[in-house]
Amino acid sequence: MGRAGGGGVTGWDRDRPVEGTCPGGGRILNTGATGGRITARFKRLAAEGRAGFIPYVTAGYPTLADTRELLAGLADTGADVIELGIPFSDPMADGPTIQRSSQGALDQGTTVADVFAVLAELRESSEVPVVIFSYLNPIHARGPDAFIGRAVEAGADGILPTDLPLGADPALEAALEASPLDLVRLVAPTTRPARVRAIARASQGFVYYIARTGVTGARRELRGELAREAGAVRAVSTCPVAVGFGVSTAGHARLVGAAADAAVVGSALVDRLDDGGVAGALELARELRAALDEVRPG
Amino acid sequence: MTPSTPVDGRFGPFGGRYVPETLIPALDELAAAYEEASADPAFLSEVDRLAADYVGRPTPLYRARRFETVAGVGPVYLKREDLNHTGAHKINNTVGQALLARRMGKPRIIAETGAGQHGVATATACALFDLECVVYMGTEDVERQSLNVYRMELLGAEVRPVDSGTRTLKDATNEALRDWVTNVQGTHYIIGSVVGPHPFPLIVRDFQAVIGREARRQILEAAGRLPASVVACVGGGSNAMGMFHAFAGDEEVALIGVEAAGEGLGSGRSSAPLSEGRPGVLHGSLSYLLQDADGQVAPAHSVAAGLDYPGVGPEHSWLKDSGRARYVSVRDGAAERAFRALPGLEGIIPALETAHALAWVVEAGRRGEVEGPVAICLSGRGDKDVVHVAGLGGGDGPGRGWGRDGVGS
């Protein structure tokens, strides 16, 4: 028994990032595999002058069949990266909507194996980059090595553990960083400048800027300071910066798309899924994608 | 000796700070403020003054002679934390943390509560220092501890019922953490046990350590020696850590934590992570945890709302793995019998949580498996549980739960 990382070293050996570039998508030396779907997608977006669209999906909600349909639909609707959420019993960073979707998925009996299975199915038809969003305990319970192995095998490109802040568990963080998965880090409005720089340096694939102090959940308004704050993170980051938490409407998407490299939308899609099913959620996804295409990242 | 000072926020491998990034600056600020305060003689003397004038410390160490005849072991001493203001050990921590919050300039306090004892103790400290107070409590606990809900409201706190998940202490803690993430700038979270991210397990342990410091001095005076066994119930584990800490360096003293076995270990209806859990991450730290193969936190069960929690403080996990402490468990029924029996024997109504420690001493004493002198932390009084236990029915009259054959089944 060691720390949450189990002291495990995955045995992956990742290409060192080139100085001044985002350390995502390096070639994996000992397998010859080339990761980097996330980085490639952001490069393409930058070349086209477009902001990225990152929808979040709670795997297994309302059912696994819906998740399959939703993932395929989002890939067709112009999602640039999909955040695939592993439902967790105690989602302490999430508001009522994602608490409800997580509990709903668990009540359906959704397992971690099911989540990887729907991802593997998506991979039969789509190359859309996928980031696994998870609380730490499901990763710890399986053991980080086994978890990463299964995620890579299923076709994941990145991993975003909500409750693993920079420096919390150096052995585990090193194992995740060395793996083929991009370890996406979060910056909060409360994060002090020196730490923002350290997080931006350590993040792989992209940096996730949390739009407000608080939990996830759809909102009417975004804060006025958000554009400036996202700009400040971009200024010190070699990685693209995505903004999420509360981004709910086409208007929000335009605001975020003009200030950052991508917008993450979660709770609003789950709410729409409740009201209008998969078709309704995909309709919102199309609106958001169109809104993002009306602006250019600043 | 097991090191009791955390290194990098960890007791051995346990503990840490597994929290959303938003909370990192607040935890840094809290750790710095606590380090500064605990080196400030003015702060420490204010804690001591309030302990004496307001909380009612030192609490007595009482020799329970009639209890000894039932348990078949002696001498047995009860450390009377039930005689603290508000009726439990919880106030040792809330007064200290409220002072710390005032020092940090945080005008708003949040807390979680299970049995309601920590909620009452927090509401009390907030009234004392004129701080705004919001207490999260699972709806199942609101129902079984309605008296404490009314007490908190009387003290000026707002009680927010939590209807998610298992609707108990675990979910109240989730909701308190969500509030803290949202309102972190002006809010201090007075966590009620030795759980949560670093530095909470250390801060709560230190404020509760007064229990063991007093008990150690008192038993040396009363018995002329150290106890052979120190026993306390363990939910999150704050009264146990408070009791154990002063004895941790006394290798000849056995430290025994009693978890809630609920309807029995292996039944899926227990609250005994140290007895049947595995290490995992919940509420910001790595510690023993009830969970399934996928790492989903398993629902806990105990008749005692204050023990009804799937996790445990990280220092207990370290005391277990290092072999310094031993963790045992007692079922609901045995705890209920202890609850019914002690009043008639000693004129003391214990909390259902505390009754687990008493029940284990009787069970182990009758089997000759516990050595005296025994010091038990009588962590709280049972008035809050009277209605609930009366409602459970059962044939034992007051004082008769420990008839010759009636124990340990």
Side-chain angles (χ1 to χ4, degrees):
Chain A
M1 166 61 236
R3 295 187 172 184
V9 175
T10 51
W12 303 101
D13 187 7
R14 191 169 163 138
D15 222 352
R16 287 192 168 282
V18 178
E19 193 65 32
T21 64
C22 177
R27 199 166 56 86
I28 304 306
L29 300 175
N30 53 347
T31 64
T34 307
R37 267 191 289 244
I38 297 172
T39 297
R41 179 61 65 113
F42 273 106
K43 277 188 179 148
R44 201 174 87 198
L45 287 166
E48 295 167 356
R50 297 167 72 221
F53 172 47
I54 308 183
Y56 161 90
V57 174
T58 302
Y61 183 78
T63 68
L64 275 169
D66 290 312
T67 301
R68 271 184 215 106
E69 195 185 333
L70 184 59
L71 290 175
L74 288 169
D76 289 343
T77 309
D80 294 295
V81 177
I82 293 174
E83 254 187 46
L84 184 59
I86 292 182
F88 182 52
S89 55
D90 294 83
M92 69 169 167
D94 285 300
T97 300
I98 292 178
Q99 288 175 45
R100 191 176 67 241
S101 64
S102 301
Q103 193 57 52
L106 293 175
D107 291 346
Q108 296 276 320
T110 307
T111 63
V112 174
D114 291 333
V115 180
F116 290 141
V118 290
L119 172 54
E121 274 182 58
L122 174 71
R123 278 286 167 260
E124 290 170 12
S125 63
S126 172
E127 289 291 305
V128 64
V130 172
V131 172
I132 298 290
F133 171 99
S134 183
Y135 285 83
L136 190 52
N137 204 48
I139 301 172
H140 179 258
R142 185 164 295 239
D145 295 4
F147 188 96
I148 293 166
R150 288 296 309 280
V152 170
E153 194 186 337
D157 303 287
I159 186 158
L160 197 166
T162 342
D163 46 358
L164 183 67
L166 184 72
D169 194 324
L172 174 59
E173 291 168 78
L176 293 174
E177 281 169 0
S179 85
L181 299 179
D182 285 337
L183 175 60
V184 178
R185 303 280 197 167
L186 299 109
V187 171
T190 53
T191 309
R192 309 243 154 80
R195 188 171 161 89
V196 173
R197 284 192 293 277
I199 294 171
R201 259 199 310 279
S203 199
Q204 298 175 329
F206 63 96
V207 175
Y208 188 130
Y209 185 67
I210 300 170
R212 63 157 186 269
T213 57
V215 293
T216 59
R219 289 292 184 280
R220 260 181 227 287
E221 306 278 342
L222 293 179
R223 293 179 308 122
E225 309 85 354
L226 181 58
R228 185 184 53 74
E229 291 169 2
V233 178
R234 279 180 98 204
V236 298
S237 176
T238 54
C239 287
V241 174
V243 172
F245 277 46
V247 182
S248 315
T249 66
H252 296 167
R254 280 190 290 272
L255 191 148
V256 169
D261 300 290
V264 184
V265 181
S267 298
L269 280 169
V270 174
D271 285 338
R272 191 64 76 90
L273 200 53
D274 286 337
D275 295 342
V278 172
L282 291 175
E283 188 188 313
L284 176 61
R286 273 189 293 275
E287 285 169 33
L288 294 164
R289 178 65 270 176
L292 285 164
D293 279 331
E294 292 169 28
V295 294
R296 293 177 71 88
Chain B
M1 179 185 156
T2 307
S4 56
T5 305
V7 177
D8 288 339
R10 288 174 191 270
F11 298 94
F14 299 106
R17 298 201 307 191
Y18 299 97
V19 294
E21 172 64 25
T22 309
L23 291 180
I24 292 295
L27 293 172
D28 283 342
E29 179 192 4
L30 178 61
Y34 179 63
E35 197 181 330
E36 196 190 281
S38 50
D40 177 356
F43 178 82
L44 297 175
S45 75
E46 188 160 16
V47 172
D48 288 347
R49 184 185 63 78
L50 282 162
D53 298 350
Y54 189 74
V55 176
R57 304 206 70 91
T59 58
L61 185 78
Y62 162 73
R63 182 165 174 191
R65 290 176 193 273
R66 292 191 67 205
F67 177 86
E68 289 168 11
T69 63
V70 170
V73 61
V76 173
Y77 295 91
L78 305 179
K79 179 59 174 164
R80 298 290 307 276
E81 292 300 296
D82 59 318
L83 294 178
N84 283 325
H85 181 40
T86 72
H89 71 291
K90 293 293 186 185
I91 198 160
N92 299 325
N93 169 48
T94 61
V95 165
Q97 284 206 53
L99 274 171
L100 200 56
R102 199 178 62 173
R103 195 181 164 96
M104 291 189 293
K106 308 256 182 185
R108 180 174 179 269
I109 297 295
I110 55 170
E112 83 296 334
T113 198
Q117 292 302 101
H118 174 60
V120 167
T122 303
T124 299
C126 289
L128 181 64
F129 297 119
D130 192 20
L131 298 164
E132 184 188 341
C133 182
V134 173
V135 180
Y136 291 93
M137 188 171 189
T139 49
E140 185 175 332
D141 294 334
V142 166
E143 207 166 293
R144 56 181 167 174
Q145 304 288 349
S146 55
L147 177 64
N148 273 342
V149 174
Y150 184 64
R151 289 169 80 197
M152 286 184 266
E153 289 171 351
L154 209 52
L155 289 158
E158 180 194 342
V159 179
R160 292 191 186 162
V162 177
D163 202 31
S164 58
T166 54
R167 298 187 290 276
T168 57
L169 180 55
K170 166 179 86 82
D171 308 281
T173 307
N174 286 333
E175 211 51 41
L177 282 163
R178 290 181 189 120
D179 181 313
W180 204 32
V181 169
T182 306
N183 302 298
V184 62
Q185 261 110 2
T187 299
H188 175 63
Y189 178 16
I190 299 189
I191 208 163
S193 193
V194 286
V195 300
H198 177 74
F200 282 114
L202 173 70
I203 292 176
V204 178
R205 194 268 323 263
D206 286 356
F207 284 133
Q208 292 295 359
V210 65
I211 304 172
R213 276 199 306 276
E214 288 176 6
R216 191 175 184 281
R217 192 179 67 230
Q218 289 165 323
I219 201 166
L220 283 172
E221 204 168 297
R225 55 164 291 186
L226 287 170
S229 312
V230 170
V231 184
C233 65
V234 177
S238 69
N239 91 85
M241 267 329 304
M243 187 73 175
F244 289 175
H245 188 58
F247 297 100
D250 303 318
E251 290 294 339
E252 68 273 35
V253 178
L255 305 177
I256 297 145
V258 185
E259 294 192 295
E263 294 173 11
L265 296 183
S267 69
R269 297 267 298 159
S270 71
S271 295
L274 292 164
S275 304
E276 57 176 351
R278 359 183 224 113
V281 175
L282 178 68
H283 297 149
S285 62
L286 176 69
S287 195
Y288 277 85
L289 179 64
L290 296 178
Q291 56 184 316
D292 71 11
D294 261 359
Q296 307 295 347
V297 178
H301 164 80
S302 168
V303 67
L307 303 183
D308 196 342
Y309 183 67
V312 66
E315 192 170 3
H316 284 295
S317 291
W318 179 226
L319 288 173
K320 171 188 159 75
D321 276 15
S322 65
R324 178 63 191 94
R326 181 154 76 95
Y327 294 89
V328 295
S329 65
V330 156
R331 291 185 186 207
D332 285 347
E336 287 157 13
R337 276 191 293 280
F339 178 90
R340 289 191 171 98
L342 193 71
L345 286 171
E346 299 287 352
I348 296 169
I349 303 175
L352 268 173
E353 291 77 10
T354 312
H356 286 73
L358 298 163
W360 182 81
V361 171
V362 172
E363 289 183 3
R366 290 185 173 188
R367 291 193 304 259
E369 289 171 9
V370 62
E371 200 188 325
V374 181
I376 304 173
C377 185
L378 201 96
S379 54
R381 60 195 251 178
D383 306 51
K384 69 185 175 62
D385 298 313
V386 167
V387 173
H388 188 73
V389 174
L392 293 172
D396 303 330
R400 297 177 48 180
W402 279 322
R404 283 261 164 248
D405 326 307
V407 166
S409 51

